Amino acid sequence: QTTSSHHIIITMKLFTIAAAVLLRCIHSSEAAAPKLRANMMGASSEVEDEVAESKKNERTTAAAEVANPCRKRISQYVSGGQMFFIIADQTKVYEDPSTDPLSYTSIYWMCQPTVAPDLNGDGMYDSVASRVNIYLPPTTLKAADNAGATGAGKFTTHGYTASWVKQGDGGGGYYNEHVVDFGDTTVWQINGKEFIGYETSPRGTTGGLVISGEGLWTMDTSNPLLQELAKEIGKDLTAETCAERYAETWKESHSSSIQIEVEE
């Protein structure tokens, strides 16, 4: 009987210990739950903050790029279908050592551009390409003739290409812009308003030249030089007349240039 009572006492003590351990686990779990919930909520909040900050940065970058003068110009160009780069009274040096540097004026008339796909989804025009009419006023043609230039013309056909170069994390950057001659090595590189240009001369010609200076980008057809161009072609300057003028010049020359036209 004494042994039986002893077993009962031991069993009760073990039960008491087990109950105490179970209660301790329950209390520990209940105490940890709020911390776990708080940690999960905190992590979720951090993720949401990161997403919100990322979207904010994207909007800020997009807004900065839209405000970039180059971005605005190209967007306006795509929308309007034409753009002009005016070079007025800049200095050109021909290869012939007997000639003096001459004052050069010309108008680059960019026609409706082709736009590359928006692969990065930023809504911007990162790459464009188009055909170009270059118009040389009579005074420039006369000076070029005197300098020994060959193959020049009042109107010539060329190509334009531009690609966006991003700089920094904001909306900074610039367009790498070139105007090229389809028939020879003439290249004009434009960075903002500044430009450099060169042309080599095939055997038997003397049109090699170099030039650098500053030009004016514009879409305003009321500019006096553009009014002179409109008078020359007898039509308003529009995207349609740009394409027409290019086709006519290309057909006449079937090359990048036509014979020189000098007005005395």
Side-chain angles (χ1 to χ4, degrees):
Q1 186 176 0
T2 301
T3 302
S4 177
S5 298
H6 181 68
H7 287 164
I8 292 173
I9 292 172
I10 292 174
T11 301
M12 292 179 65
K13 286 182 178 180
L14 291 175
F15 178 79
T16 302
I17 292 171
V21 172
L22 179 59
L23 288 173
R24 184 176 297 175
C25 290
I26 292 173
H27 290 314
S28 176
S29 176
E30 290 176 348
K35 294 181 181 179
L36 179 60
R37 286 193 297 270
N39 290 338
M40 293 178 64
M41 291 178 64
S44 177
S45 178
E46 290 179 2
V47 171
E48 290 178 356
D49 290 344
E50 290 179 2
V51 171
E53 184 65 23
S54 176
K55 290 182 178 179
K56 178 181 177 182
N57 290 337
E58 289 177 1
R59 289 193 298 269
T60 301
T61 300
E65 290 191 348
V66 169
N68 185 299
C70 295
R71 288 294 211 186
K72 293 176 67 176
R73 170 169 60 83
I74 294 299
S75 293
Q76 187 177 352
Y77 172 34
V78 174
S79 175
Q82 66 177 352
M83 178 173 65
F84 304 91
F85 186 65
I86 300 175
I87 299 174
D89 301 322
Q90 301 298 296
T91 302
K92 178 185 287 189
V93 178
Y94 278 92
E95 63 178 277
D96 187 343
S98 66
T99 61
D100 295 325
L102 61 87
S103 178
Y104 175 77
T105 295
S106 65
I107 298 172
Y108 293 16
W109 186 10
M110 285 73 171
C111 300
Q112 180 70 55
T114 296
V115 179
D118 183 18
L119 299 180
N120 60 9
D122 63 0
M124 300 292 175
Y125 301 110
D126 292 336
S127 300
V128 298
S130 70
R131 298 183 178 95
V132 183
N133 295 297
I134 291 184
Y135 168 70
L136 300 182
T139 52
T140 296
L141 278 174
K142 180 67 175 179
D145 182 48
N146 293 337
T150 56
K154 184 179 296 184
F155 288 100
T156 53
T157 56
H158 304 260
Y160 166 76
T161 179
S163 181
W164 178 250
V165 180
K166 185 176 178 60
Q167 291 183 319
D169 296 329
Y174 63 93
Y175 278 97
N176 189 13
E177 299 175 86
H178 289 80
V179 173
V180 300
D181 194 321
F182 292 130
D184 58 30
T185 58
T186 308
V187 176
W188 303 82
Q189 180 177 333
I190 309 171
N191 188 356
K193 295 185 296 183
E194 308 297 328
F195 72 90
I196 60 172
Y198 65 86
E199 179 176 356
T200 61
S201 54
R203 184 182 299 275
T205 65
T206 57
L209 63 90
V210 289
I211 185 174
S212 63
E214 182 176 297
L216 170 68
W217 289 109
T218 185
M219 279 77 167
D220 182 7
T221 56
S222 67
N223 181 285
L225 283 174
L226 297 185
Q227 287 293 300
E228 179 183 332
L229 171 58
K231 182 179 179 181
E232 176 65 36
I233 65 174
K235 297 179 180 179
D236 292 336
L237 302 182
T238 65
E240 290 74 20
T241 54
C242 184
E244 290 172 3
R245 178 67 263 179
Y246 182 95
E248 290 172 7
T249 301
W250 190 88
K251 184 176 180 180
E252 291 168 1
S253 63
H254 206 63
S255 68
S256 62
S257 60
I258 56 178
Q259 295 301 313
I260 190 153
E261 301 175 18
V262 180
E263 295 186 8
E264 300 295 341

